[in-house]
Amino acid sequence: MKVLCVCGMGFGSSLLLKMTADKVLKNKGVKADVEAVDFSTAQSVQADMILTNNEFASQLQGGRAFVKAIVNMASEQEVENAIDEFLSQN
């Protein structure tokens, strides 16, 4: 499973979100390739799931990847809920 954590520059909030997603996925025992990327890169990289903020989520929806907006990038519970929603659909 490939997960993209997306923000404007690819090294701020996306990195925090990546750390949160890595921890949640490890705790769940799910193997995934998680990358922190900027918005432009996210538009050209194929992924199974994209975690990002509300602004970018609306712009990234419509592709093959499951896109979920995360409000609190450090919230393990919010990220876990997003991952559980993705896993239940796949």
Side-chain angles (χ1 to χ4, degrees):
M1 171 166 109
K2 183 162 184 123
V3 180
L4 297 181
C5 298
V6 180
C7 72
M9 299 297 287
F11 53 79
S13 55
S14 64
L15 191 55
L16 175 60
L17 185 54
K18 177 192 179 323
M19 292 169 34
T20 306
D22 280 338
K23 187 172 184 178
V24 169
L25 288 163
K26 182 179 178 184
N27 289 342
K28 296 182 82 59
V30 176
K31 292 192 179 223
D33 176 23
V34 183
E35 292 183 41
V37 298
D38 64 84
F39 178 74
S40 295
T41 301
Q43 293 177 304
S44 62
V45 174
Q46 292 207 357
D48 300 303
M49 178 177 189
I50 296 174
L51 301 174
T52 187
N53 61 26
N54 282 324
E55 177 186 353
F56 293 140
S58 63
Q59 296 177 55
L60 291 168
Q61 290 178 342
R64 291 180 40 203
F66 173 85
V67 179
K68 190 69 177 180
I70 302 295
V71 175
N72 182 352
M73 307 285 178
S75 171
E76 291 180 30
Q77 186 61 58
E78 187 175 1
V79 171
E80 183 172 0
N81 290 344
I83 290 170
D84 286 346
E85 184 178 343
F86 168 76
L87 293 173
S88 71
Q89 295 178 10
N90 293 288

